[in-house]
Amino acid sequence: MKRVLIMIFVALAVMSADAAERKARVRNNVPLDSIVLSDPCVLADSATMTYYMTGTGGLLWKSRDLRLWDGPYRVAETDDESWMGPNPMIWAAELHKYKGKYYYFATFTNSKNILGEYRGNKLERRASHVLVSDKAEGPYRPMADDTYLPADKLTLDGTFWVDTDGKPYMVYCWEWLQNWDGTIESIELKPDLRGSVGEGRILFRASDSPWSREKIDGKERPNRVTDGPYLFRTATGRLGMIWTSWIYDVYTQGVAYSESGTLEGPWIQEKEPITPPDFGHGMLFRTFDGRLLMSVHSHKSINGHYHRVPHLFNVDDSGDKLVIGDEYRP
C-alpha cells in the first residue's frame, strides 16, 4: 500500500510539474510581429469579445485588441489510439463557430505511419480532421468518426464552408507529393460535422494556375503545390477562394472565382497574385468594429529554415473582386 501511495504521489508531482512548465511557457502582452507562427487563422468570437489565433503547431493565442497577445496555449487533444498516434504533427489549424459549437479544422500527420513511397518520397499518413469544443479557447477533442478522408490519401489544409445548398463542406488539398499535381477538393460533411458524406470532388488542380511557376528537367511549368484554401463571398455575392503556391522560390498567394457561385465551379484563376511576394496561407475575418482583415504569414528562408510571422492586411470586398490594401497595424 505504501508503494502504491508513493507511486501516486510521484505521478501527481510529475503532472503538477508538467502543468507548471506549460503555464510558465505562456507569455503575456506579446506583440503580433514577435510571434513566430505559420498559417495564422483568427476567430473573432463575439461571445467573449476575444480574438483567438491558431495555426501550425496546435497552439492558440488570444487577444482583445489584435495588437498584444497571450499564449501559446495547448488546446488540441487527440486520441493516442487513433491513426494519429501519440503527439501527431499539427498543421494549419483553423477555428470555426457553427451551430453553437466551435470546431478545430487541422492537418494531422503521423510520421511513424508510412503509407509507401511515390517518386522517391516517403508518404507519411497525413489528413485533414475536425475536433470540437463548447468554448472557443478549447480544449478541442475528437468526435465520432475517426476518418474524414481516405486513409491512403494524403490531405491537408482543410477549411470549412457552407454552400448555397445549406450543407456543410470541407475544402482541402490533396498533397502534390502523392499525385505530382496538387488538387483542391471538397467533401460534404455530416450535419453535425462528425464525419464526411460520400467522396471528395476535385475543384481545380495546381496546374490550372496561370501565375505559379517552377522548372522541372529544365522546363518551365505551373508549380505543383496547392496550399491553404480559404473561401469567401464579396459584398456582391461572388464566391472566391484564396490559395497559395510558389513562383520558383517565392511563396505566393493567388485567388480563384467560381462562375456558378457555388463549390461546383467552374473555378477561374486570376492571372496575378493577390498579395505581395513572400506572403501566403491567408484567411479573412471581421473585427468587432466591422473591419475586414486578412490574416497571413510572411515567409523568409534563414539558413535553410522557414521563418514565418503573422501579419494583418486591410481588405476591400465591396466589389466583385477582393482587393488587398495596406498592412493593418492596430
Side-chain angles (χ1 to χ4, degrees):
M1 182 65 181
K2 182 178 179 180
R3 184 179 178 184
V4 172
L5 290 174
I6 290 173
M7 291 176 65
I8 292 173
F9 175 79
V10 171
L12 289 174
V14 170
M15 290 172 62
S16 177
D18 286 346
E21 183 183 359
R22 286 196 299 271
K23 186 175 181 181
R25 288 199 297 265
V26 172
R27 296 175 288 157
N28 296 317
N29 298 321
V30 181
L32 183 64
D33 60 7
S34 296
I35 298 173
V36 177
L37 180 68
S38 298
D39 316 324
C41 178
V42 178
L43 171 71
D45 182 42
S46 58
T48 58
M49 294 303 290
T50 301
Y51 298 101
Y52 296 92
M53 181 170 65
T54 54
T56 286
L59 303 175
L60 176 142
W61 294 80
K62 54 186 179 182
S63 173
R64 295 284 186 175
D65 58 10
L66 295 175
R67 185 172 65 89
L68 298 175
W69 296 79
D70 296 339
Y73 301 93
R74 295 190 179 277
V75 297
E77 298 182 3
T78 55
D79 179 5
D80 290 355
E81 301 300 319
S82 73
W83 67 265
M84 298 177 191
N87 303 313
M89 287 186 283
I90 303 177
W91 297 350
E94 295 185 0
L95 300 183
H96 296 273
K97 188 175 183 180
Y98 182 65
K99 294 186 176 180
K101 289 187 178 293
Y102 297 86
Y103 294 91
Y104 188 94
F105 282 65
T107 304
F108 299 87
T109 300
N110 184 343
S111 60
K112 294 183 178 180
N113 188 342
I114 306 300
L115 301 180
E117 288 192 11
Y118 185 70
R119 300 199 180 193
N121 297 302
K122 284 189 176 181
L123 304 178
E124 302 172 342
R125 185 165 178 187
R126 176 178 304 139
S128 297
H129 203 79
V130 186
L131 308 180
V132 67
S133 177
D134 291 325
K135 299 183 296 182
E137 62 185 23
Y140 289 86
R141 299 187 173 99
M143 292 186 282
D145 288 13
D146 58 6
T147 301
Y148 280 73
L149 296 159
D152 60 350
K153 189 172 183 177
L154 272 63
T155 57
L156 68 157
D157 294 354
T159 189
F160 182 57
W161 184 250
V162 178
D163 211 19
T164 54
D165 58 8
K167 296 178 180 179
Y169 291 85
M170 181 194 292
V171 175
Y172 59 92
C173 301
W174 182 14
E175 178 71 85
W176 73 274
L177 292 172
Q178 192 177 31
N179 61 24
W180 227 237
D181 187 5
T183 64
I184 291 182
E185 307 183 2
S186 68
I187 192 168
E188 183 182 340
L189 298 177
K190 294 178 180 178
D192 55 7
L193 310 193
R194 289 178 175 266
S196 58
V197 178
E199 298 180 351
R201 181 170 52 84
I202 295 175
L203 305 184
F204 58 84
R205 302 177 185 274
S207 57
D208 294 335
S209 167
W211 50 264
S212 71
R213 286 289 179 271
E214 67 176 336
K215 282 189 177 180
I216 302 177
D217 299 327
K219 295 182 180 180
E220 185 174 295
R221 52 150 287 160
N223 198 281
R224 291 165 289 179
V225 174
T226 49
D227 179 85
Y230 193 87
L231 293 115
F232 63 90
R233 285 196 187 276
T234 66
T236 61
R238 192 180 189 193
L239 178 61
M241 182 197 305
I242 49 177
W243 67 285
T244 303
S245 190
W246 298 80
I247 300 178
Y248 305 115
D249 62 346
V250 179
Y251 197 60
T252 307
Q253 183 172 240
V255 62
Y257 291 97
S258 168
E259 285 199 333
S260 67
T262 73
L263 286 176
E264 291 283 341
W267 289 87
I268 308 301
Q269 306 290 331
E270 292 287 282
K271 292 182 179 180
E272 300 296 332
I274 196 170
T275 43
D278 284 320
F279 287 89
H281 203 115
M283 57 80 59
L284 303 170
F285 71 97
R286 288 201 180 273
T287 62
F288 297 127
D289 61 1
R291 183 189 299 268
L292 183 62
L293 297 180
M294 174 182 285
S295 173
V296 67
H297 71 242
S298 58
H299 173 90
K300 186 177 183 180
S301 181
I302 302 176
N303 297 324
H305 296 279
Y306 292 156
H307 181 74
R308 291 173 166 177
V309 176
H311 293 261
L312 302 175
F313 283 88
N314 289 297
V315 178
D316 180 4
D317 68 341
S318 60
D320 276 343
K321 292 186 177 183
L322 210 62
V323 178
I324 309 303
D326 296 334
E327 187 163 358
Y328 175 69
R329 301 186 184 277

